[in-house]
Amino acid sequence: MSRHAERTYRAVTAVQRRIANPLMRRSPLQTLLETTGRVSGLPRRTPVGGRRVGDAFWLVSEFGERSQYVRNIRADPRVRVRIRGRWHTGTAHPLPEDDPVARLRSLPRMNSAAVRAVGAGLLTVRVDLDG
């Protein structure tokens, strides 16, 4: 990762962790991805932008494999997603073979623009929702 990308990663994750995520988690309509902490075993809720298509929820991780929620998914792919205030269980699948830039074009515009602006090492994630 370039020096610029590393600085961007550190700055963005600091703002997300301390300011943006705590505020967005409180919004009842914010989409949340709940993973299980790979070390703590505790639920970890991360605000995400994505879209449900049939029985799958699609999102793009802005920092790919470096994202804590992707690392948690690798350890335990069972997740929950809160979409429009309703929780759904499912199994998450990181998809390195998918084109994340093309995928962003099919996802909500505001979030996609932010992911493209600050992201490095984008990674598509599909959550197969249960029933």
Side-chain angles (χ1 to χ4, degrees):
M1 184 178 277
S2 74
R3 191 179 300 198
H4 173 72
E6 181 64 26
R7 278 194 304 254
T8 301
Y9 169 78
R10 288 179 185 271
V12 170
T13 56
V15 169
Q16 287 174 336
R17 186 173 295 126
R18 294 183 180 102
I19 300 167
N21 289 358
L23 291 173
M24 291 191 307
R25 275 193 292 265
R26 293 178 188 200
S27 172
L29 295 180
Q30 172 66 50
T31 301
L32 296 177
L33 174 68
E34 183 181 84
T35 60
T36 301
R38 64 193 175 283
V39 174
S40 69
L42 298 173
R44 301 296 183 199
R45 293 181 176 174
T46 305
V48 295
R51 175 167 283 141
R52 183 176 183 163
V53 179
D55 289 334
F57 182 81
W58 293 86
L59 66 119
V60 173
S61 169
E62 63 198 339
F63 295 114
E65 298 287 344
R66 289 189 77 181
S67 293
Q68 297 301 314
Y69 68 85
V70 171
R71 295 170 72 188
N72 289 342
I73 288 167
R74 292 278 189 209
D76 181 358
R78 299 293 303 155
V79 300
R80 293 193 321 150
V81 182
R82 187 178 75 183
I83 306 167
R84 295 188 184 117
R86 185 167 171 240
W87 286 101
H88 305 269
T89 59
T91 304
H93 306 276
L95 302 172
E97 68 280 358
D98 191 69
D99 180 352
V101 175
R103 181 68 57 192
L104 284 170
R105 287 194 283 273
S106 69
L107 300 178
R109 285 188 188 150
M110 292 298 285
N111 181 76
S112 294
V115 169
R116 277 193 298 273
V118 300
L122 304 178
L123 175 68
T124 300
V125 177
R126 183 188 76 232
V127 178
D128 294 331
L129 302 172
D130 300 335

